Amino acid sequence: SRIRPTWPTHHGIGTVQLPIGYFANVIDLGGGIGLAISADGVGTKVLIAQMLGKYDTVGIDCVAMNVNDLLCVGATPISMVDYLALQHPDPDMVDSLAKGLAAGAQLANISIAGGEMAQLRDIIKGYKEGLGFDLAGMAIGTVVLDRIIIGQHIEEGDVIIGIESGGIHSNGFSLARRILFEEHTYPVDATFPNLEHPLGEELIKPTHIYVREVLEILNQGIPVKALIHITSDGLLNLTRVESKVSYVIEQLPPPPPIFSLIQDLGHVADEEMFRVYNMGIGFCIIVAATETDRVLSVVRAHQKTAHRIGYAMVDERR
């Protein structure tokens, strides 16, 4: 809020609506409509793609990390642009990355309006010489200004609906790589009894995109109190809302086996695991307790698994 007054407002058009630091921000377009905007990347998950030589899913991650954040202010994602920085422009790799971006855009029901590709040999390095890259994006959406959701109306007893993740998603890969590939030197095709796929394939599973189910919940008029993308910091993301509340987490589904593998091999404390990873919950929706069944029904209709995992309580300390 200290920064906002220093920015030009153009008679209201372009005025920033939220403090810096939420999942996305909103600027005034006039006529009561806001433009939601977010930017994010895939992080060191791109190194797993290089280890596997498989590049057709990380584009989905790039879309997901952006559009899931837009949802958190109640916005409808509409389009994005991508930025691909390369050590060397390998045509097959670029083609596979583009396919992933297109698949992600289709899942999110958005367009990709453009992008930029830069060759940065002196900056970008990677697991395989010549194939280093970084992938990031910026997405936009629209939201009615008086319907922006940032958890401002959460009350005692409101429930947390947690939608399951598909695995690690796009956070915590530095820790995972250190434990699995440096300390234990497993190959990417290593198999484990509890994993459905070989190790590398398990790690590179794309981030779930939650756009369709969340928008259906909003369009049904269900009074949503908060929408929370669970990324780095795990369930602590719940505390980013505006209301002065804390949460009681009563029950969580068993985390996907990849998390137990990382924790056991690295002797990682529970606290650190829940700080670094989503631990099986990729997105949370906070609603009044009376809306629980309606939300669960919509999510399940979109072939995702959701649970009531806890509730809010008033707490000045958050």
mmCIF file of all heavy atoms in Angstrom, residues 190-214:
data_model
loop_
_atom_site.group_PDB
_atom_site.id
_atom_site.type_symbol
_atom_site.label_atom_id
_atom_site.label_comp_id
_atom_site.label_asym_id
_atom_site.label_seq_id
_atom_site.Cartn_x
_atom_site.Cartn_y
_atom_site.Cartn_z
ATOM 1 N N ALA A 190 15.356 -45.147 -12.324
ATOM 2 C CA ALA A 190 15.255 -46.019 -11.156
ATOM 3 C C ALA A 190 13.787 -46.258 -10.816
ATOM 4 O O ALA A 190 12.944 -45.366 -10.945
ATOM 5 C CB ALA A 190 15.968 -45.391 -9.965
ATOM 6 N N THR A 191 13.479 -47.485 -10.391
ATOM 7 C CA THR A 191 12.118 -47.821 -10.003
ATOM 8 C C THR A 191 12.064 -48.150 -8.513
ATOM 9 O O THR A 191 13.038 -48.643 -7.936
ATOM 10 C CB THR A 191 11.580 -49.008 -10.814
ATOM 11 O OG1 THR A 191 12.429 -50.144 -10.621
ATOM 12 C CG2 THR A 191 11.515 -48.670 -12.295
ATOM 13 N N PHE A 192 10.922 -47.854 -7.905
ATOM 14 C CA PHE A 192 10.706 -48.116 -6.493
ATOM 15 C C PHE A 192 9.340 -48.771 -6.330
ATOM 16 O O PHE A 192 8.400 -48.437 -7.062
ATOM 17 C CB PHE A 192 10.767 -46.814 -5.686
ATOM 18 C CG PHE A 192 12.114 -46.145 -5.728
ATOM 19 C CD1 PHE A 192 12.432 -45.261 -6.763
ATOM 20 C CD2 PHE A 192 13.069 -46.401 -4.760
ATOM 21 C CE1 PHE A 192 13.671 -44.641 -6.810
ATOM 22 C CE2 PHE A 192 14.307 -45.791 -4.801
ATOM 23 C CZ PHE A 192 14.616 -44.906 -5.829
ATOM 24 N N PRO A 193 9.194 -49.679 -5.388
ATOM 25 C CA PRO A 193 7.933 -50.427 -5.253
ATOM 26 C C PRO A 193 6.702 -49.548 -5.095
ATOM 27 O O PRO A 193 5.632 -49.896 -5.594
ATOM 28 C CB PRO A 193 8.173 -51.282 -3.998
ATOM 29 C CG PRO A 193 9.652 -51.410 -3.891
ATOM 30 C CD PRO A 193 10.218 -50.124 -4.419
ATOM 31 N N ASN A 194 6.843 -48.421 -4.413
ATOM 32 C CA ASN A 194 5.666 -47.595 -4.128
ATOM 33 C C ASN A 194 5.364 -46.564 -5.211
ATOM 34 O O ASN A 194 4.328 -45.892 -5.148
ATOM 35 C CB ASN A 194 5.838 -46.878 -2.792
ATOM 36 C CG ASN A 194 5.823 -47.849 -1.624
ATOM 37 O OD1 ASN A 194 5.241 -48.931 -1.718
ATOM 38 N ND2 ASN A 194 6.461 -47.472 -0.531
ATOM 39 N N LEU A 195 6.270 -46.416 -6.192
ATOM 40 C CA LEU A 195 6.063 -45.413 -7.236
ATOM 41 C C LEU A 195 5.407 -46.045 -8.456
ATOM 42 O O LEU A 195 5.821 -47.109 -8.916
ATOM 43 C CB LEU A 195 7.383 -44.759 -7.638
ATOM 44 C CG LEU A 195 8.114 -43.941 -6.573
ATOM 45 C CD1 LEU A 195 9.309 -43.238 -7.212
ATOM 46 C CD2 LEU A 195 7.201 -42.933 -5.898
ATOM 47 N N GLU A 196 4.426 -45.351 -8.996
ATOM 48 C CA GLU A 196 3.716 -45.847 -10.173
ATOM 49 C C GLU A 196 4.599 -45.817 -11.410
ATOM 50 O O GLU A 196 4.483 -46.674 -12.294
ATOM 51 C CB GLU A 196 2.465 -44.994 -10.404
ATOM 52 C CG GLU A 196 1.604 -45.433 -11.563
ATOM 53 C CD GLU A 196 0.386 -44.545 -11.749
ATOM 54 O OE1 GLU A 196 0.212 -43.591 -10.961
ATOM 55 O OE2 GLU A 196 -0.395 -44.801 -12.692
ATOM 56 N N HIS A 197 5.507 -44.836 -11.475
ATOM 57 C CA HIS A 197 6.363 -44.658 -12.643
ATOM 58 C C HIS A 197 7.827 -44.636 -12.212
ATOM 59 O O HIS A 197 8.133 -44.458 -11.024
ATOM 60 C CB HIS A 197 6.024 -43.343 -13.343
ATOM 61 C CG HIS A 197 4.588 -43.210 -13.732
ATOM 62 N ND1 HIS A 197 4.030 -43.912 -14.773
ATOM 63 C CD2 HIS A 197 3.577 -42.459 -13.195
ATOM 64 C CE1 HIS A 197 2.753 -43.598 -14.883
ATOM 65 N NE2 HIS A 197 2.449 -42.718 -13.937
ATOM 66 N N PRO A 198 8.774 -44.791 -13.159
ATOM 67 C CA PRO A 198 10.188 -44.581 -12.823
ATOM 68 C C PRO A 198 10.400 -43.196 -12.229
ATOM 69 O O PRO A 198 9.604 -42.271 -12.446
ATOM 70 C CB PRO A 198 10.894 -44.739 -14.177
ATOM 71 C CG PRO A 198 9.989 -45.613 -14.979
ATOM 72 C CD PRO A 198 8.596 -45.241 -14.556
ATOM 73 N N LEU A 199 11.488 -43.035 -11.499
ATOM 74 C CA LEU A 199 11.717 -41.854 -10.680
ATOM 75 C C LEU A 199 11.571 -40.549 -11.459
ATOM 76 O O LEU A 199 10.858 -39.630 -11.044
ATOM 77 C CB LEU A 199 13.106 -41.941 -10.048
ATOM 78 C CG LEU A 199 13.506 -40.808 -9.106
ATOM 79 C CD1 LEU A 199 12.519 -40.676 -7.963
ATOM 80 C CD2 LEU A 199 14.916 -41.052 -8.570
ATOM 81 N N GLY A 200 12.266 -40.426 -12.585
ATOM 82 C CA GLY A 200 12.197 -39.186 -13.352
ATOM 83 C C GLY A 200 10.801 -38.869 -13.844
ATOM 84 O O GLY A 200 10.350 -37.713 -13.797
ATOM 85 N N GLU A 201 10.081 -39.882 -14.299
ATOM 86 C CA GLU A 201 8.710 -39.680 -14.764
ATOM 87 C C GLU A 201 7.802 -39.227 -13.622
ATOM 88 O O GLU A 201 6.888 -38.422 -13.812
ATOM 89 C CB GLU A 201 8.178 -40.979 -15.371
ATOM 90 C CG GLU A 201 8.900 -41.430 -16.623
ATOM 91 C CD GLU A 201 8.503 -40.645 -17.850
ATOM 92 O OE1 GLU A 201 7.489 -39.927 -17.794
ATOM 93 O OE2 GLU A 201 9.212 -40.740 -18.866
ATOM 94 N N GLU A 202 8.059 -39.751 -12.431
ATOM 95 C CA GLU A 202 7.268 -39.360 -11.270
ATOM 96 C C GLU A 202 7.511 -37.889 -10.919
ATOM 97 O O GLU A 202 6.586 -37.147 -10.584
ATOM 98 C CB GLU A 202 7.626 -40.244 -10.084
ATOM 99 C CG GLU A 202 6.620 -40.255 -8.960
ATOM 100 C CD GLU A 202 5.336 -40.984 -9.300
ATOM 101 O OE1 GLU A 202 5.387 -42.008 -10.010
ATOM 102 O OE2 GLU A 202 4.273 -40.516 -8.845
ATOM 103 N N LEU A 203 8.770 -37.472 -11.004
ATOM 104 C CA LEU A 203 9.116 -36.099 -10.651
ATOM 105 C C LEU A 203 8.572 -35.083 -11.645
ATOM 106 O O LEU A 203 8.263 -33.950 -11.277
ATOM 107 C CB LEU A 203 10.638 -35.959 -10.558
ATOM 108 C CG LEU A 203 11.326 -36.683 -9.399
ATOM 109 C CD1 LEU A 203 12.837 -36.646 -9.586
ATOM 110 C CD2 LEU A 203 10.932 -36.062 -8.058
ATOM 111 N N ILE A 204 8.459 -35.477 -12.890
ATOM 112 C CA ILE A 204 8.112 -34.499 -13.924
ATOM 113 C C ILE A 204 6.607 -34.419 -14.189
ATOM 114 O O ILE A 204 6.162 -33.662 -15.061
ATOM 115 C CB ILE A 204 8.875 -34.808 -15.228
ATOM 116 C CG1 ILE A 204 9.089 -33.521 -16.034
ATOM 117 C CG2 ILE A 204 8.165 -35.878 -16.055
ATOM 118 C CD1 ILE A 204 10.010 -33.668 -17.206
ATOM 119 N N LYS A 205 5.812 -35.171 -13.429
ATOM 120 C CA LYS A 205 4.362 -35.047 -13.583
ATOM 121 C C LYS A 205 3.959 -33.576 -13.540
ATOM 122 O O LYS A 205 4.367 -32.843 -12.645
ATOM 123 C CB LYS A 205 3.639 -35.800 -12.460
ATOM 124 C CG LYS A 205 3.635 -37.304 -12.587
ATOM 125 C CD LYS A 205 2.870 -37.921 -11.426
ATOM 126 C CE LYS A 205 2.783 -39.424 -11.529
ATOM 127 N NZ LYS A 205 2.054 -40.012 -10.363
ATOM 128 N N PRO A 206 3.152 -33.115 -14.497
ATOM 129 C CA PRO A 206 2.845 -31.678 -14.550
ATOM 130 C C PRO A 206 1.936 -31.213 -13.419
ATOM 131 O O PRO A 206 1.140 -31.983 -12.872
ATOM 132 C CB PRO A 206 2.161 -31.509 -15.913
ATOM 133 C CG PRO A 206 1.664 -32.864 -16.259
ATOM 134 C CD PRO A 206 2.602 -33.851 -15.649
ATOM 135 N N THR A 207 2.067 -29.961 -13.099
ATOM 136 C CA THR A 207 1.226 -29.308 -12.097
ATOM 137 C C THR A 207 -0.229 -29.332 -12.538
ATOM 138 O O THR A 207 -0.547 -29.037 -13.692
ATOM 139 C CB THR A 207 1.677 -27.846 -11.918
ATOM 140 O OG1 THR A 207 3.073 -27.829 -11.615
ATOM 141 C CG2 THR A 207 0.895 -27.151 -10.820
ATOM 142 N N HIS A 208 -1.114 -29.692 -11.616
ATOM 143 C CA HIS A 208 -2.545 -29.642 -11.936
ATOM 144 C C HIS A 208 -2.971 -28.204 -12.232
ATOM 145 O O HIS A 208 -2.530 -27.249 -11.576
ATOM 146 C CB HIS A 208 -3.379 -30.148 -10.755
ATOM 147 C CG HIS A 208 -3.515 -31.637 -10.693
ATOM 148 N ND1 HIS A 208 -3.396 -32.462 -11.792
ATOM 149 C CD2 HIS A 208 -3.780 -32.463 -9.645
ATOM 150 C CE1 HIS A 208 -3.578 -33.719 -11.430
ATOM 151 N NE2 HIS A 208 -3.796 -33.749 -10.129
ATOM 152 N N ILE A 209 -3.846 -28.065 -13.205
ATOM 153 C CA ILE A 209 -4.478 -26.787 -13.515
ATOM 154 C C ILE A 209 -5.907 -26.840 -12.977
ATOM 155 O O ILE A 209 -6.676 -27.739 -13.316
ATOM 156 C CB ILE A 209 -4.457 -26.520 -15.031
ATOM 157 C CG1 ILE A 209 -3.005 -26.280 -15.485
ATOM 158 C CG2 ILE A 209 -5.357 -25.335 -15.394
ATOM 159 C CD1 ILE A 209 -2.830 -26.159 -16.978
ATOM 160 N N TYR A 210 -6.255 -25.889 -12.103
ATOM 161 C CA TYR A 210 -7.518 -25.941 -11.369
ATOM 162 C C TYR A 210 -8.565 -24.973 -11.920
ATOM 163 O O TYR A 210 -9.577 -24.700 -11.257
ATOM 164 C CB TYR A 210 -7.253 -25.626 -9.889
ATOM 165 C CG TYR A 210 -6.321 -26.622 -9.226
ATOM 166 C CD1 TYR A 210 -4.960 -26.322 -9.053
ATOM 167 C CD2 TYR A 210 -6.775 -27.853 -8.783
ATOM 168 C CE1 TYR A 210 -4.103 -27.236 -8.456
ATOM 169 C CE2 TYR A 210 -5.922 -28.769 -8.178
ATOM 170 C CZ TYR A 210 -4.587 -28.456 -8.024
ATOM 171 O OH TYR A 210 -3.739 -29.362 -7.437
ATOM 172 N N VAL A 211 -8.356 -24.476 -13.123
ATOM 173 C CA VAL A 211 -9.191 -23.397 -13.650
ATOM 174 C C VAL A 211 -10.646 -23.806 -13.825
ATOM 175 O O VAL A 211 -11.564 -23.102 -13.370
ATOM 176 C CB VAL A 211 -8.626 -22.878 -14.990
ATOM 177 C CG1 VAL A 211 -9.627 -21.946 -15.676
ATOM 178 C CG2 VAL A 211 -7.308 -22.159 -14.767
ATOM 179 N N ARG A 212 -10.893 -24.913 -14.464
ATOM 180 C CA ARG A 212 -12.268 -25.250 -14.845
ATOM 181 C C ARG A 212 -13.158 -25.479 -13.631
ATOM 182 O O ARG A 212 -14.301 -24.993 -13.578
ATOM 183 C CB ARG A 212 -12.270 -26.453 -15.783
ATOM 184 C CG ARG A 212 -11.602 -26.138 -17.135
ATOM 185 C CD ARG A 212 -11.567 -27.335 -18.051
ATOM 186 N NE ARG A 212 -10.811 -27.050 -19.276
ATOM 187 C CZ ARG A 212 -11.348 -26.593 -20.410
ATOM 188 N NH1 ARG A 212 -12.658 -26.379 -20.464
ATOM 189 N NH2 ARG A 212 -10.597 -26.362 -21.466
ATOM 190 N N GLU A 213 -12.668 -26.210 -12.634
ATOM 191 C CA GLU A 213 -13.514 -26.470 -11.464
ATOM 192 C C GLU A 213 -13.713 -25.220 -10.619
ATOM 193 O O GLU A 213 -14.818 -24.967 -10.110
ATOM 194 C CB GLU A 213 -12.936 -27.612 -10.613
ATOM 195 C CG GLU A 213 -11.522 -27.438 -10.160
ATOM 196 C CD GLU A 213 -10.521 -28.079 -11.109
ATOM 197 O OE1 GLU A 213 -10.733 -28.014 -12.343
ATOM 198 O OE2 GLU A 213 -9.512 -28.623 -10.614
ATOM 199 N N VAL A 214 -12.651 -24.397 -10.476
ATOM 200 C CA VAL A 214 -12.796 -23.188 -9.665
ATOM 201 C C VAL A 214 -13.758 -22.203 -10.328
ATOM 202 O O VAL A 214 -14.620 -21.609 -9.663
ATOM 203 C CB VAL A 214 -11.425 -22.535 -9.415
ATOM 204 C CG1 VAL A 214 -11.592 -21.145 -8.799
ATOM 205 C CG2 VAL A 214 -10.577 -23.408 -8.493
#
